[in-house]
Amino acid sequence: MKITYYGHSCFTAAVNGKTLLFDPFISGNPLAGHIDKSKIKADYILISHGHEDHIADAAALAKESGATIISNFEIVTWLSRQGISKGHPMNHGGSWSFDFGKVKMMNAIHSSSFPDGSYAGNPCGFLIETLEGNFYYSGDTALTYDMKLIGEYKKINFALLPVGGNFTMNADNALIAAGFIGCDKIVGLHFDTFGYITINHAEAKEKFSRDGKELILLKIGESINI
Ligand code: NI
Ligand code: MN
């Protein structure tokens, strides 16, 4: 499965011939100025919560690519009022089989409102099951014991977790989360974008490797096969 990182918590997963784009925030990211948004072709856009650093480019990219939004009911409805007609609303604990695989909406400990301050439903993460492997994107979240349920529920090939701290878990807590999930390969997200979430890359990676796990911190624009 090919993962491409677009900065902050935005990435694509190319799976079963489809491109899944997560939490599009590129034009407002000072570190992602070299990313050409018009080159991102998504079949689906998955949105974890309503905060601007996760949703800013969703409407524009959905319009350009004709992608289907997968998010909670509130976010799908909010985007439909902006002319995004293709949306699949879900809520926590629910799952649905799409043409690329199965999505289960997971719990996240965070807050969620739209950039205008209105209610955006509850924040979530996504568990994605496909023929090319399973992965978990937690969204913005604290470390939570709920993650143990994921480890008991499914074998996860890799997980994408926030590591920047302050607004979410930091790398230390993401390492504990990796244990809860039962997954040794973690792609770090939600770091370095703002002063509050700047991290020491070498130190964070070293903590993971001492525990027999791997923390992958991609460069913005970089792709990996995982
Ligand atoms: Ni947030
Ligand atoms: Mn965020």
Side-chain angles (χ1 to χ4, degrees):
M1 190 182 307
K2 186 181 172 189
I3 300 289
T4 303
Y5 185 48
Y6 292 107
H8 203 52
S9 291
C10 181
F11 62 96
T12 53
V15 56
N16 293 338
K18 302 290 174 185
T19 300
L20 282 57
L21 171 66
F22 291 78
D23 283 354
F25 171 66
I26 297 158
S27 47
N29 183 349
L31 305 181
H34 59 293
I35 298 297
D36 182 359
K37 268 197 309 167
S38 68
K39 294 224 167 78
I40 302 173
K41 305 287 178 221
D43 298 293
Y44 295 90
I45 301 177
L46 292 86
I47 303 169
S48 65
H49 64 296
H51 288 159
E52 190 157 20
D53 59 319
H54 298 260
I55 205 170
D57 293 316
L61 285 171
K63 265 179 200 158
E64 265 169 44
S65 61
T68 299
I69 304 287
I70 301 174
S71 190
N72 67 18
F73 181 79
E74 290 81 0
I75 289 172
V76 168
T77 304
W78 186 76
L79 286 168
S80 74
R81 286 194 218 105
Q82 296 171 50
I84 311 301
S85 55
K86 284 163 74 182
H88 184 104
M90 299 181 71
N91 216 323
H92 299 82
S95 57
W96 190 264
S97 291
F98 295 88
D99 54 2
F100 59 86
K102 190 169 151 191
V103 176
K104 187 173 173 71
M105 187 170 272
M106 310 302 290
N107 204 15
I109 307 295
H110 194 64
S111 61
S112 182
S113 52
F114 290 113
D116 64 6
S118 62
Y119 175 66
N122 289 307
C124 74
F126 299 101
L127 179 59
I128 315 283
E129 292 172 53
T130 81
L131 294 172
E132 296 178 17
N134 304 328
F135 66 97
Y136 167 57
Y137 166 48
S138 71
D140 282 7
T141 185
L143 176 65
T144 161
Y145 222 59
D146 285 356
M147 289 168 177
K148 282 206 160 215
L149 286 172
I150 300 170
E152 288 166 17
Y153 174 74
K154 273 290 162 197
K155 176 75 193 126
I156 303 294
N157 300 90
F158 63 97
L160 304 104
L161 305 175
V163 295
N166 191 69
F167 300 112
T168 66
M169 306 192 272
N170 61 12
D172 293 294
N173 281 186
L175 179 57
I176 298 169
F180 286 178
I181 301 159
C183 178
D184 290 343
K185 198 180 278 281
I186 303 298
V187 177
L189 300 174
H190 215 272
F191 63 95
D192 287 355
T193 319
F194 325 112
Y196 289 123
I197 60 175
T198 302
I199 65 164
N200 182 321
H201 293 209
E203 198 177 281
K205 287 180 182 175
E206 172 62 20
K207 282 176 182 168
F208 273 71
S209 62
R210 270 205 302 269
D211 204 41
K213 295 181 172 61
E214 184 185 8
L215 175 65
I216 301 164
L217 299 175
L218 295 170
K219 293 190 182 71
I220 298 174
E222 187 182 355
S223 298
I224 46 160
N225 283 303
I226 192 166

